[in-house]
């Protein structure tokens, strides 16, 4: 039996750049892993993929969909086909990361599945092979294979620069209970831009600046905020409330709908959590991850 953790992520920065002819978008993002994690247990089985999903909380279970559509199921099928294995695998997935909130739970589960299966089969695919499969499963999956809790990613998310971790700080997650479909958020962004190139100003990125919370707080942004805050105006108010309570930074993650606040002070975080709860917004407390989350790359 192999047991692995699959951490959630935040996008501390997310710029959507050019739209490719394929419809996909080039992006630039800063991924940061969280301590909040799903857990997977895998053991050899007779043939094919058997997946059982258990949810730790109602939010973690909401919107999970069919088992055969789950990224863990697809990752395991892809792995077995790629390696040409006759034997199968039985997987138990314990969900703690809310679904459809921009926290990368499904992508992280898929990456953990590839890592665990390759460990069970003496590294038959290796790091490169795993990355190739990861990129086929989704834009966020390669990050969870890179072994660093902080990484700058670009292209479609498959080009990664692992960075020294930021200091680990407490994070308050606000879960509005309504998801945003990633494809729709991209489509709405396209409509607003009407095919015009984005006016991304020229910039020199210094890696030391990307590991400094105060610098990030001043410069980070998420291009989905305009689109998603218009759809769900309560999120804009939630972000402002986090900043008023003293968050170092507060922002939407991915295409939402989770808004996060990073705090230096536990007391301020607790006041922000109480204020959100009074407004009927569900919250989750976690921290940014410090040690490498999955086993190191390579
Ligand atoms: O990667 P994921 O499966 O979450 O993507 C969902 C949808 O978001 C894609 O089908 C595509 O329409 C859009 N997308 C995009 N450019 C990306 C990633 C996703 O246009 N880099």
């Amino acid at each position: 039996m192999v047991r692995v953790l699959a951490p959630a992520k935040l996008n501390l920065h997310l710029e959507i750049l050019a739209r490719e002819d394929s419809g996909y978008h080039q992006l630039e993002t800063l991924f940061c892993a969280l301590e909040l994690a799903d857990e997977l247990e895998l053991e050899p089985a007779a043939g094919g993929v058997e997946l059982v999903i258990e949810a730790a909380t109602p939010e973690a279970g909401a919107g999970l969909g069919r088992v055969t559509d789950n990224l863990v199921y697809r990752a395991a099928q892809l792995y077995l086909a790629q390696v040409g294995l006759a034997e199968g695998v039985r997987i138990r997935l314990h969900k703690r990361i809310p679904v459809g909130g921009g926290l990368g739970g499904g992508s992280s589960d898929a990456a953990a599945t590839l890592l665990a299966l390759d460990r069970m089969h003496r590294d038959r695919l290796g790091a490169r092979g795993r990355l190739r499969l990861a990129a086929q499963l989704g834009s966020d999956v390669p990050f969870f294979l890179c072994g660093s809790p902080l990484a700058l990613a670009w292209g479609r998310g498959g080009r990664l620069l692992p960075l020294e971790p930021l200091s680990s700080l407490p994070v308050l997650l606000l879960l509005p209970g309504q998801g945003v479909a990633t494809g729709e958020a991209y489509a709405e962004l396209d409509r607003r831009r009407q095919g015009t190139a984005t006016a991304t100003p020229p910039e020199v990125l210094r890696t030391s600046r990307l590991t400094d919370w105060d610098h990030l707080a001043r410069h980070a942004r998420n291009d989905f905020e305009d689109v998603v805050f218009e759809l769900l105006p309560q999120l804009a108010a939630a972000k402002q409330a986090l900043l008023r309570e003293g968050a170092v930074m507060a922002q939407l993650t991915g295409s939402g709908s989770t808004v996060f606040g990073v705090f230096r002070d536990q007391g301020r975080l607790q006041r922000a959590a109480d204020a959100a709860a009074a407004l009927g917004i569900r919250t989750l407390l976690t921290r940014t991850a410090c040690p490498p989350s999955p086993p190191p790359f390579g």
Side-chain angles (χ1 to χ4, degrees):
M1 154 107 63
V2 172
R3 191 174 279 130
V4 278
L5 285 177
K9 61 83 178 163
L10 297 176
N11 298 91
L12 296 180
H13 180 71
L14 177 56
E15 275 187 60
I16 310 301
L17 307 170
R19 182 179 181 275
E20 299 172 0
D21 287 343
S22 65
Y24 266 80
H25 295 73
Q26 294 278 315
L27 50 83
E28 181 178 277
T29 189
L30 185 65
F31 283 117
C32 177
L34 295 176
E35 285 187 355
L36 171 69
D38 290 341
E39 203 177 319
L40 290 93
E41 283 173 11
L42 299 90
E43 56 188 351
V49 180
E50 224 179 278
L51 172 63
V52 176
I53 308 177
E54 298 160 4
T57 58
E59 303 91 76
L64 265 173
R66 281 189 310 196
V67 162
T68 48
D69 290 335
N70 191 281
L71 271 182
V72 167
Y73 190 88
R74 287 172 45 204
Q77 278 209 319
L78 203 57
Y79 182 90
L80 297 182
Q82 182 74 27
V83 174
L85 288 172
E87 69 198 78
V89 62
R90 186 174 303 119
I91 308 174
R92 192 183 69 85
L93 167 62
H94 189 70
K95 290 291 302 173
R96 291 194 198 94
I97 306 171
V99 176
L103 293 165
S107 301
S108 186
D109 296 342
T113 303
L114 295 178
L115 279 169
L117 280 170
D118 219 25
R119 197 184 301 164
M120 286 163 74
H121 296 97
R122 288 190 224 93
D123 230 20
R124 291 264 277 272
L125 271 190
R128 257 172 207 274
R130 294 194 294 266
L131 262 182
R132 209 171 299 124
L133 292 194
Q136 289 176 40
L137 288 162
S139 316
D140 294 343
V141 186
F143 164 65
F144 293 106
L145 288 182
C146 86
S148 171
L150 188 74
L152 186 67
W154 63 100
R156 283 196 196 177
R159 303 212 160 246
L160 289 152
L161 177 69
L163 297 165
E164 284 297 310
L166 286 147
S167 55
S168 175
L169 287 182
V171 175
L172 177 66
L173 302 174
L174 303 185
L175 314 167
Q178 272 168 285
V180 176
T182 306
E184 278 171 33
Y186 274 105
E188 181 55 28
L189 204 61
D190 287 342
R191 274 193 288 278
R192 284 165 187 241
R193 290 176 173 177
Q194 291 182 325
T196 55
T198 60
T200 308
E203 203 170 346
V204 176
L205 293 174
R206 296 188 198 287
T207 51
S208 57
R209 290 293 181 91
L210 297 172
T211 58
D212 170 353
W213 281 115
D214 293 317
H215 179 82
L216 278 176
R218 280 195 300 277
H219 297 283
R221 67 168 211 254
N222 180 336
D223 282 350
F224 281 121
E225 280 192 348
D226 286 348
V227 169
V228 174
F229 285 180
E230 207 170 292
L231 282 172
L232 302 170
Q234 68 271 35
L235 297 187
K239 171 176 169 165
Q240 289 314 317
L242 289 172
L243 291 172
R244 257 199 321 276
E245 296 294 344
V248 178
M249 75 177 284
Q251 204 166 271
L252 187 76
T253 176
S255 61
S257 54
T258 304
V259 169
F260 66 89
V262 178
F263 287 81
R264 280 211 173 85
D265 180 310
Q266 198 75 42
R268 286 173 187 265
L269 179 147
Q270 197 51 56
R271 276 197 296 281
D274 293 345
L279 293 171
I281 301 174
R282 299 191 82 94
T283 59
L284 254 177
L285 294 184
T286 182
R287 294 185 73 85
T288 60
C290 212
S293 6
F297 179 72

